[in-house]
Amino acid sequence: NGGVLRVTGMGQMVITATSTAAHGAIAGGWTTGSGGGIHVAVSDGRVPSLVIAGGDITGNRAEQNGGGVALEQMTIGTNSTYLSVTGGTITGNTAGENGGGVYTAPRSKEIASATAFTLRLQDCTITGNHAGGEGGGVYAAPPAIQLGGTVKVQDNTKGGENRPSDCYADWTDLSLWGSQSDRACVAYLTGGNA
C-alpha cells in the first residue's frame, strides 16, 4: 500500500504545493494494494489525518482501491479521522477496483459505525481518473462529504467501457459549508443523503 507515500501513526500530515522534490507532485506511484499515490492507514488506535493543500496527484495506479489517494480504516476505533483536499488537482490516476482519484472507506460496516470519517473537498479539481469498479473520481463509503468553494469532480470514468463515473457515495451524508452564493459546487453523487 502507498506507491509514493504511506501515512500511519498519529497526528496530522500536511502536503502542500512545495512539500515534495517534484514541485508538489505525487506522481508515478504504483502498488498492488491501495493508494497508488498516497495511502493513509487507520489501525490499532493510530489515527492519522491527511491534508492536501495544493499540488498535483497524478499518474498513479493502485491494483486495489484509490489510484491517487486512499484513506482506509483497517480496525475498529473510536477516534475521528479525515482527508481534506484544498486546492490542487487529482488527475490521471487509476484504481483496479474503486476510487480512481480518491477512495475513503472502512474495511467493514462494523468499523464504520465506530469511527467518524470525513472527506472534505474545497477549491479542487478531480478529473480524468479511472476505476475498474465504482467511483472513477471519488469513492466515499461511509464518511460525511463536505464541499466548499469550487469543487470540480468531472470527466472521470469506470469499467471496461470507460463509462462516466465521477462520484460514488455509499451511505454517506453530504454537507456544504461557507458562503455558497458566489461559489459553484459540481459533484455527482449516487446513493447517500444529499
Side-chain angles (χ1 to χ4, degrees), residues 18-93:
T18 58
S19 291
T20 69
H23 305 291
I26 302 290
W30 177 81
T31 179
T32 57
S34 294
I38 303 170
H39 184 260
V40 182
V42 180
S43 62
D44 301 324
R46 296 185 304 268
V47 185
S49 296
L50 177 63
V51 175
I52 300 169
D56 297 317
I57 299 174
T58 183
N60 300 288
R61 178 174 177 81
E63 298 301 321
Q64 293 180 12
N65 301 301
V69 183
L71 171 64
E72 291 186 299
Q73 177 79 22
M74 312 300 274
T75 58
I76 292 178
T78 56
N79 295 328
S80 62
T81 187
Y82 58 88
L83 170 60
S84 176
V85 181
T86 304
T89 301
I90 299 175
T91 185
N93 302 287

Coordinates of all heavy atoms in Angstrom, one line a residue, residues 18-93:
T18 N 4.6 22.8 -2.3 CA 6.1 22.8 -2.2 C 6.6 21.7 -1.3 O 7.8 21.7 -1.0 CB 6.6 24.2 -1.7 OG1 6.0 24.4 -0.4 CG2 6.1 25.3 -2.7
S19 N 5.8 20.7 -0.9 CA 6.2 19.7 0.0 C 7.2 18.7 -0.6 O 8.0 18.1 0.2 CB 5.0 19.0 0.5 OG 4.2 19.8 1.4
T20 N 7.2 18.4 -1.9 CA 8.0 17.4 -2.4 C 9.0 17.9 -3.3 O 9.0 19.0 -3.8 CB 7.1 16.3 -3.2 OG1 6.6 17.0 -4.4 CG2 5.9 15.8 -2.4
A21 N 10.0 17.1 -3.6 CA 11.1 17.5 -4.5 C 10.6 17.7 -5.9 O 11.2 18.3 -6.8 CB 12.2 16.4 -4.5
A22 N 9.4 17.1 -6.3 CA 8.9 17.2 -7.6 C 7.9 18.4 -7.7 O 6.9 18.3 -8.4 CB 8.2 15.9 -8.0
H23 N 8.2 19.5 -7.0 CA 7.3 20.7 -7.1 C 5.9 20.4 -6.7 O 5.0 20.8 -7.4 CB 7.5 21.3 -8.5 CG 8.9 21.6 -8.8 ND1 9.6 22.6 -8.2 CD2 9.7 21.1 -9.8 CE1 10.8 22.6 -8.8 NE2 10.9 21.7 -9.7
G24 N 5.7 19.7 -5.6 CA 4.3 19.5 -5.2 C 3.6 18.3 -5.8 O 2.4 18.2 -5.6
A25 N 4.3 17.5 -6.6 CA 3.6 16.4 -7.3 C 3.8 15.1 -6.6 O 5.0 14.8 -6.2 CB 4.1 16.4 -8.8
I26 N 2.8 14.4 -6.5 CA 2.8 13.0 -6.1 C 2.5 12.2 -7.3 O 1.3 12.1 -7.7 CB 1.8 12.6 -4.9 CG1 2.1 13.5 -3.7 CG2 1.9 11.1 -4.6 CD1 3.3 13.2 -2.9
A27 N 3.5 11.7 -8.0 CA 3.3 11.2 -9.4 C 4.0 9.9 -9.6 O 5.1 9.6 -9.1 CB 3.8 12.2 -10.4
G28 N 3.4 9.1 -10.5 CA 4.0 7.9 -11.0 C 4.1 6.7 -10.0 O 4.9 5.8 -10.2
G29 N 3.3 6.7 -8.9 CA 3.4 5.7 -8.0 C 2.6 4.5 -8.4 O 1.6 4.6 -9.2
W30 N 2.9 3.3 -7.9 CA 2.2 2.0 -8.2 C 2.2 1.1 -7.0 O 3.3 1.0 -6.3 CB 2.8 1.4 -9.4 CG 2.2 0.0 -9.8 CD1 1.1 -0.1 -10.5 CD2 2.7 -1.3 -9.4 NE1 0.8 -1.5 -10.6 CE2 1.8 -2.2 -9.9 CE3 3.8 -1.7 -8.6 CZ2 1.9 -3.6 -9.7 CZ3 3.9 -3.1 -8.4 CH2 3.0 -4.0 -9.0
T31 N 1.1 0.4 -6.7 CA 1.1 -0.5 -5.7 C 0.1 -1.7 -6.0 O -0.9 -1.4 -6.7 CB 0.6 0.1 -4.3 OG1 0.6 -0.9 -3.3 CG2 -0.7 0.8 -4.4
T32 N 0.4 -2.9 -5.5 CA -0.5 -4.0 -5.7 C -1.7 -3.9 -4.7 O -2.7 -4.6 -4.9 CB 0.2 -5.3 -5.5 OG1 0.8 -5.3 -4.2 CG2 1.3 -5.5 -6.6
G33 N -1.6 -3.0 -3.8 CA -2.6 -2.8 -2.8 C -3.4 -1.5 -3.1 O -3.8 -1.3 -4.2
S34 N -3.6 -0.7 -2.1 CA -4.4 0.5 -2.2 C -3.6 1.8 -2.1 O -2.5 1.7 -1.4 CB -5.5 0.6 -1.2 OG -6.5 -0.5 -1.4
G35 N -4.0 2.9 -2.7 CA -3.3 4.1 -2.6 C -2.1 4.2 -3.5 O -0.9 4.2 -3.0
G36 N -2.3 4.3 -4.8 CA -1.2 4.4 -5.7 C -0.3 5.5 -5.5 O 0.9 5.4 -5.6
G37 N -0.8 6.7 -5.1 CA 0.0 7.8 -4.7 C 0.2 7.9 -3.3 O 1.4 7.9 -2.8
I38 N -0.9 7.9 -2.5 CA -0.8 8.1 -1.0 C -1.8 7.1 -0.4 O -2.9 7.0 -0.8 CB -1.1 9.5 -0.5 CG1 -0.2 10.5 -1.2 CG2 -1.1 9.6 1.0 CD1 -0.7 12.0 -1.0
H39 N -1.3 6.4 0.7 CA -2.2 5.5 1.4 C -2.1 5.9 2.9 O -1.1 6.1 3.5 CB -1.7 4.0 1.3 CG -2.6 3.1 2.0 ND1 -2.4 2.6 3.3 CD2 -3.8 2.6 1.7 CE1 -3.3 1.8 3.6 NE2 -4.2 1.8 2.7
V40 N -3.3 6.2 3.5 CA -3.4 6.6 4.9 C -4.1 5.4 5.6 O -5.3 5.1 5.2 CB -4.2 7.9 5.1 CG1 -4.3 8.3 6.5 CG2 -3.6 9.0 4.2
A41 N -3.4 4.8 6.5 CA -3.9 3.6 7.2 C -4.3 4.0 8.6 O -3.4 4.4 9.4 CB -2.9 2.5 7.2
V42 N -5.6 3.8 9.0 CA -6.0 4.0 10.4 C -6.2 2.6 11.0 O -7.1 1.8 10.6 CB -7.4 4.8 10.4 CG1 -7.9 5.0 11.8 CG2 -7.2 6.1 9.6
S43 N -5.4 2.3 12.0 CA -5.5 1.0 12.6 C -4.9 1.0 14.0 O -4.0 1.8 14.3 CB -4.7 -0.1 11.7 OG -3.4 0.2 11.7
D44 N -5.3 0.0 14.8 CA -4.8 -0.3 16.1 C -4.6 1.0 17.0 O -3.6 1.2 17.7 CB -3.4 -1.0 16.0 CG -3.5 -2.3 15.3 OD1 -4.5 -3.0 15.4 OD2 -2.6 -2.6 14.5
G45 N -5.7 1.9 16.9 CA -5.6 3.1 17.8 C -4.8 4.2 17.2 O -4.8 5.3 17.8
R46 N -4.1 4.0 16.1 CA -3.3 5.0 15.5 C -4.2 5.7 14.4 O -4.6 5.0 13.5 CB -2.0 4.4 14.8 CG -1.1 3.8 15.9 CD 0.2 3.4 15.2 NE 0.0 2.4 14.1 CZ 0.0 1.1 14.2 NH1 0.1 0.6 15.4 NH2 -0.2 0.4 13.2
V47 N -4.4 7.0 14.6 CA -5.4 7.7 13.7 C -4.7 8.9 13.1 O -4.8 10.0 13.6 CB -6.6 8.1 14.6 CG1 -7.7 8.7 13.6 CG2 -7.2 6.9 15.3
P48 N -4.1 8.7 11.9 CA -3.6 9.8 11.2 C -4.6 10.5 10.4 O -5.6 9.9 10.0 CB -2.5 9.2 10.3 CG -3.1 7.8 10.0 CD -3.8 7.4 11.3
S49 N -4.5 11.8 10.1 CA -5.3 12.5 9.2 C -4.4 13.2 8.1 O -3.3 13.5 8.4 CB -6.1 13.6 9.9 OG -7.0 13.0 10.8
L50 N -5.0 13.4 7.0 CA -4.2 13.9 5.9 C -4.8 15.2 5.3 O -6.0 15.2 5.0 CB -4.0 12.9 4.7 CG -3.3 13.3 3.5 CD1 -1.8 13.7 3.8 CD2 -3.4 12.2 2.4
V51 N -4.0 16.3 5.1 CA -4.5 17.5 4.5 C -3.6 17.7 3.2 O -2.4 17.7 3.3 CB -4.3 18.7 5.4 CG1 -4.7 20.0 4.7 CG2 -5.2 18.5 6.7
I52 N -4.3 17.8 2.1 CA -3.6 18.1 0.8 C -4.0 19.5 0.5 O -5.1 19.8 0.2 CB -4.0 17.1 -0.3 CG1 -3.6 15.7 0.2 CG2 -3.3 17.4 -1.6 CD1 -4.2 14.6 -0.7
A53 N -3.0 20.4 0.5 CA -3.2 21.8 0.3 C -2.4 22.2 -1.0 O -1.3 22.8 -0.9 CB -2.9 22.7 1.5
G54 N -3.0 22.0 -2.1 CA -2.3 22.3 -3.4 C -1.5 21.2 -3.9 O -1.4 20.1 -3.3
G55 N -0.8 21.4 -5.0 CA 0.0 20.4 -5.6 C -0.8 19.5 -6.5 O -2.1 19.6 -6.7
D56 N -0.2 18.5 -7.1 CA -0.8 17.6 -8.0 C -0.6 16.2 -7.6 O 0.5 15.8 -7.3 CB -0.3 17.8 -9.5 CG -0.6 19.2 -10.0 OD1 -1.7 19.6 -9.8 OD2 0.3 19.8 -10.6
I57 N -1.6 15.3 -7.7 CA -1.5 13.9 -7.5 C -1.9 13.3 -8.9 O -3.1 13.3 -9.2 CB -2.4 13.4 -6.4 CG1 -2.0 14.1 -5.1 CG2 -2.4 11.9 -6.3 CD1 -2.9 13.8 -3.9
T58 N -0.9 12.8 -9.6 CA -1.2 12.5 -11.0 C -0.4 11.2 -11.4 O 0.7 11.0 -11.0 CB -0.8 13.7 -11.9 OG1 -1.1 13.4 -13.2 CG2 0.7 14.0 -11.8
G59 N -1.1 10.5 -12.3 CA -0.4 9.3 -12.9 C 0.0 8.2 -12.0 O 0.9 7.5 -12.3
N60 N -0.8 8.0 -11.0 CA -0.6 6.9 -10.0 C -1.5 5.7 -10.3 O -2.6 5.9 -10.9 CB -0.7 7.4 -8.6 CG 0.2 8.5 -8.3 OD1 1.4 8.3 -8.1 ND2 -0.3 9.7 -8.2
R61 N -1.2 4.5 -9.8 CA -2.0 3.4 -10.1 C -2.0 2.5 -8.8 O -1.0 2.2 -8.3 CB -1.5 2.5 -11.3 CG -2.4 1.3 -11.5 CD -2.0 0.6 -12.8 NE -2.8 -0.7 -12.9 CZ -4.1 -0.7 -13.3 NH1 -4.7 0.4 -13.7 NH2 -4.7 -1.8 -13.4
A62 N -3.2 2.0 -8.4 CA -3.4 1.0 -7.4 C -4.2 -0.2 -8.0 O -5.2 0.0 -8.6 CB -4.2 1.6 -6.2
E63 N -3.7 -1.3 -7.8 CA -4.4 -2.5 -8.2 C -5.7 -2.7 -7.5 O -6.6 -3.3 -8.0 CB -3.5 -3.8 -8.1 CG -2.2 -3.7 -9.0 CD -2.5 -3.5 -10.5 OE1 -3.4 -4.1 -11.0 OE2 -1.8 -2.8 -11.1
Q64 N -5.7 -2.2 -6.2 CA -7.0 -2.3 -5.5 C -7.7 -1.0 -5.5 O -8.3 -0.6 -6.5 CB -6.7 -2.8 -4.1 CG -6.2 -4.2 -4.0 CD -5.9 -4.7 -2.6 OE1 -6.3 -4.1 -1.6 NE2 -5.2 -5.9 -2.5
N65 N -7.7 -0.2 -4.4 CA -8.5 1.0 -4.3 C -7.7 2.3 -4.2 O -6.6 2.2 -3.7 CB -9.4 0.9 -3.1 CG -10.4 -0.3 -3.1 OD1 -11.2 -0.4 -4.1 ND2 -10.2 -1.2 -2.2
G66 N -8.3 3.4 -4.7 CA -7.6 4.7 -4.5 C -6.4 4.8 -5.4 O -5.3 4.8 -4.9
G67 N -6.6 5.1 -6.7 CA -5.5 5.3 -7.6 C -4.6 6.4 -7.2 O -3.4 6.3 -7.1
G68 N -5.2 7.5 -6.8 CA -4.5 8.7 -6.3 C -4.2 8.7 -4.8 O -3.1 8.7 -4.4
V69 N -5.3 8.6 -4.0 CA -5.2 8.7 -2.6 C -6.2 7.7 -2.0 O -7.4 7.6 -2.5 CB -5.6 10.1 -2.0 CG1 -5.4 10.1 -0.5 CG2 -4.8 11.2 -2.7
A70 N -5.8 6.9 -1.0 CA -6.7 6.0 -0.3 C -6.6 6.3 1.2 O -5.5 6.4 1.8 CB -6.4 4.6 -0.5
L71 N -7.8 6.5 1.9 CA -7.8 6.6 3.3 C -8.7 5.4 3.8 O -9.9 5.3 3.5 CB -8.5 7.9 3.8 CG -8.9 8.0 5.2 CD1 -7.6 8.0 6.1 CD2 -9.6 9.3 5.5
E72 N -8.0 4.4 4.5 CA -8.7 3.2 4.9 C -8.7 3.0 6.4 O -7.7 3.1 7.0 CB -8.1 2.0 4.2 CG -8.3 1.9 2.7 CD -7.7 0.6 2.2 OE1 -6.5 0.4 2.3 OE2 -8.5 -0.1 1.6
Q73 N -9.9 2.7 6.9 CA -10.0 2.3 8.3 C -9.8 0.8 8.4 O -10.6 0.1 7.9 CB -11.3 2.7 8.9 CG -11.6 2.3 10.3 CD -10.9 3.2 11.3 OE1 -10.6 4.3 11.0 NE2 -10.6 2.7 12.5
M74 N -8.7 0.4 9.0 CA -8.4 -1.1 9.0 C -9.0 -1.8 10.1 O -9.3 -3.0 10.0 CB -6.8 -1.2 9.0 CG -6.1 -0.3 8.0 SD -6.6 -0.6 6.3 CE -5.5 -2.0 5.9
T75 N -9.1 -1.2 11.3 CA -9.6 -1.9 12.5 C -10.6 -0.9 13.2 O -10.6 0.3 13.0 CB -8.4 -2.2 13.5 OG1 -7.7 -1.0 13.9 CG2 -7.5 -3.2 12.9
I76 N -11.4 -1.5 14.1 CA -12.3 -0.7 14.9 C -11.6 0.3 15.8 O -10.7 -0.1 16.5 CB -13.3 -1.6 15.6 CG1 -14.2 -2.3 14.7 CG2 -14.2 -0.7 16.6 CD1 -15.2 -3.3 15.3
G77 N -12.1 1.6 15.8 CA -11.5 2.6 16.7 C -12.6 3.6 16.9 O -13.6 3.7 16.3
T78 N -12.4 4.4 17.9 CA -13.4 5.4 18.3 C -13.0 6.8 18.0 O -13.8 7.7 18.3 CB -13.7 5.3 19.8 OG1 -12.5 5.5 20.6 CG2 -14.3 3.9 20.2
N79 N -11.9 7.0 17.4 CA -11.5 8.4 17.1 C -11.9 8.8 15.7 O -12.2 8.0 14.9 CB -9.9 8.5 17.2 CG -9.4 8.3 18.6 OD1 -10.1 8.6 19.6 ND2 -8.2 7.7 18.7
S80 N -12.0 10.1 15.5 CA -12.3 10.6 14.2 C -11.1 10.8 13.3 O -10.0 11.1 13.8 CB -13.1 11.9 14.3 OG -12.3 12.9 14.9
T81 N -11.3 10.7 12.0 CA -10.2 11.0 11.1 C -10.8 11.6 9.8 O -12.0 11.6 9.6 CB -9.4 9.7 10.7 OG1 -8.3 10.0 9.9 CG2 -10.3 8.7 9.9
Y82 N -9.9 12.3 9.0 CA -10.4 13.0 7.9 C -9.3 13.1 6.8 O -8.1 13.0 7.1 CB -10.9 14.4 8.2 CG -9.8 15.3 8.8 CD1 -9.0 16.0 8.1 CD2 -9.7 15.3 10.2 CE1 -8.0 16.8 8.6 CE2 -8.7 16.1 10.8 CZ -7.9 16.8 10.0 OH -6.9 17.6 10.6
L83 N -9.8 13.2 5.6 CA -9.0 13.5 4.4 C -9.5 14.8 3.9 O -10.7 15.0 3.5 CB -9.1 12.4 3.4 CG -8.4 12.7 2.0 CD1 -6.9 13.0 2.1 CD2 -8.7 11.6 1.0
S84 N -8.6 15.9 3.8 CA -9.0 17.2 3.3 C -8.2 17.5 2.1 O -7.0 17.4 2.1 CB -8.8 18.2 4.4 OG -9.1 19.5 3.9
V85 N -8.9 17.8 1.0 CA -8.2 18.3 -0.2 C -8.6 19.7 -0.5 O -9.8 20.0 -0.8 CB -8.6 17.4 -1.4 CG1 -7.8 17.8 -2.7 CG2 -8.3 15.9 -1.1
T86 N -7.7 20.6 -0.3 CA -8.0 22.0 -0.5 C -7.0 22.6 -1.6 O -5.8 22.7 -1.4 CB -7.7 22.8 0.8 OG1 -8.5 22.2 1.8 CG2 -8.1 24.3 0.6
G87 N -7.6 22.9 -2.8 CA -6.7 23.3 -3.9 C -6.0 22.1 -4.5 O -6.1 21.0 -4.0
G88 N -5.4 22.3 -5.6 CA -4.7 21.3 -6.3 C -5.5 20.4 -7.2 O -6.7 20.7 -7.3
T89 N -4.9 19.5 -7.8 CA -5.5 18.6 -8.8 C -5.2 17.2 -8.6 O -4.1 16.8 -8.4 CB -5.1 19.1 -10.3 OG1 -5.4 20.4 -10.5 CG2 -5.7 18.2 -11.3
I90 N -6.2 16.3 -8.7 CA -6.0 14.9 -8.7 C -6.5 14.4 -10.1 O -7.7 14.4 -10.4 CB -6.8 14.3 -7.5 CG1 -6.3 14.8 -6.2 CG2 -6.7 12.7 -7.6 CD1 -7.1 14.4 -5.0
T91 N -5.5 14.0 -10.9 CA -5.9 13.7 -12.3 C -5.0 12.5 -12.8 O -3.9 12.3 -12.4 CB -5.7 14.9 -13.2 OG1 -6.1 14.6 -14.5 CG2 -4.2 15.4 -13.2
G92 N -5.6 11.8 -13.8 CA -4.9 10.7 -14.5 C -4.5 9.5 -13.6 O -3.5 8.9 -13.9
N93 N -5.2 9.3 -12.5 CA -4.9 8.1 -11.7 C -5.8 7.0 -12.0 O -7.0 7.2 -12.5 CB -5.0 8.5 -10.2 CG -4.1 9.7 -9.9 OD1 -2.9 9.5 -9.7 ND2 -4.7 10.9 -9.7

